[in-house]
């Protein structure tokens, strides 16, 4: 029995970012701290390939093409300065 993917509470409820899963949001937080994919994978207990899949989905959902743009969105959504 599969359950629907969980989404995290998000300051942009109803917006683009509200579609990020908890794991995608967690990964984006790591990326915003400058963590490399391998380290993020280790911290999250997943493979580097899974991290790459999460990154691809994050980019698609946020409609961005770079890590810098995704991190900028993260900071803006969380009310932080870059």
């Amino acid at each position: 029995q599969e359950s629907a993917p969980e989404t995290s509470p998000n300051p942009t409820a109803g917006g683009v970012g509200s579609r990020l899963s908890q794991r995608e949001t967690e990964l984006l937080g790591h990326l915003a701290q400058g963590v490399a994919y391998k380290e993020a994978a280790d911290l999250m207990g997943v493979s580097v390939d899974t991290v790459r899949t999460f990154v691809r989905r994050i980019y698609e959902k946020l409609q961005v093409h770079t890590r810098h743009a995704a991190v900028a969105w993260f900071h803006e959504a969380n009310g932080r300065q870059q």
Side-chain angles (χ1 to χ4, degrees):
Q1 183 184 51
E2 286 188 35
S3 60
E6 295 178 22
T7 56
S8 62
N10 196 300
T12 59
V16 172
S18 66
R19 295 189 305 233
L20 294 182
S21 71
Q22 284 184 323
R23 297 295 271 175
E24 290 164 348
T25 302
E26 177 184 356
L27 174 59
L28 192 49
H30 291 313
L31 298 180
Q33 294 174 352
V35 171
Y37 286 6
K38 171 71 171 112
E39 186 179 354
D42 291 344
L43 290 168
M44 296 176 69
V46 298
S47 71
V48 174
D49 285 339
T50 299
V51 165
R52 287 188 185 114
T53 297
F54 285 158
V55 168
R56 187 175 64 249
R57 289 180 184 163
I58 290 166
Y59 287 6
E60 288 172 3
K61 290 178 181 183
L62 298 182
Q63 300 175 347
V64 299
H65 301 284
T66 65
R67 177 178 176 151
H68 178 79
V71 167
W73 176 92
F74 179 83
H75 287 303
E76 183 176 321
N78 288 288
R80 297 185 190 139
Q81 295 284 1
Q82 280 180 265

